[in-house]
């Protein structure tokens, strides 16, 4: 159905270098049911228990309304917008 990934150093944006990146990918048939939000909240809760206070970054296309809602619900705030892969990208950060 999908997966959630937390990894360090995967983003090359200056504001994200060295920080842990939250990534997720779900099959289209799983979209709209809250699975991604539930999985990301669980992963972030676990992460906060292991590395309290450690910032996490998240990047998504600004046109992806679902991912933008997930970012807001998960406590991410915008730190940068940039152009990549033919579209505007949004970069957010949250502190644990």
């Amino acid at each position: 159905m999908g997966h959630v990934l937390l990894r360090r150093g995967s983003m090359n944006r200056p504001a994200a270098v060295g920080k842990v990146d939250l990534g997720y990918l779900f099959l289209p048939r799983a979209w709209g049911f809250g699975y991604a939000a539930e999985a990301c909240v669980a992963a972030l809760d676990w992460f906060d228990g292991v590395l309290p206070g450690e910032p996490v970054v998240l990047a998504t296309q600004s046109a992806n309304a679902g991912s933008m809602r997930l970012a807001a619900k998960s406590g991410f705030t915008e730190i940068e917008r940039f152009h990549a892969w033919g579209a505007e990208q949004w970069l957010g950060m949250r502190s644990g």
Side-chain angles (χ1 to χ4, degrees):
M1 169 172 13
H3 69 263
V4 174
L5 177 66
L6 289 162
R7 60 186 175 177
R8 188 177 304 278
S10 62
M11 296 187 61
N12 63 358
R13 302 299 303 169
V17 170
K19 294 183 178 64
V20 171
D21 172 36
L22 172 68
Y24 52 90
L25 180 64
F26 284 78
L27 295 171
R29 68 177 179 258
W31 295 355
F33 296 100
Y35 300 135
E38 183 177 347
C40 287
V41 165
L44 290 167
D45 284 349
W46 171 84
F47 183 79
D48 289 344
V50 174
L51 293 170
E54 182 83 14
V56 178
V57 294
L58 166 70
T60 187
Q61 284 191 6
S62 58
N64 185 333
S67 284
M68 294 296 291
R69 281 191 303 275
L70 188 151
K73 286 180 184 178
S74 300
F76 287 86
T77 57
E78 182 176 325
I79 56 172
E80 179 182 8
R81 289 189 187 226
F82 59 97
H83 195 271
W85 305 288
E88 182 183 73
Q89 307 296 315
W90 180 93
L91 178 62
M93 186 181 328
R94 76 181 272 285
S95 297

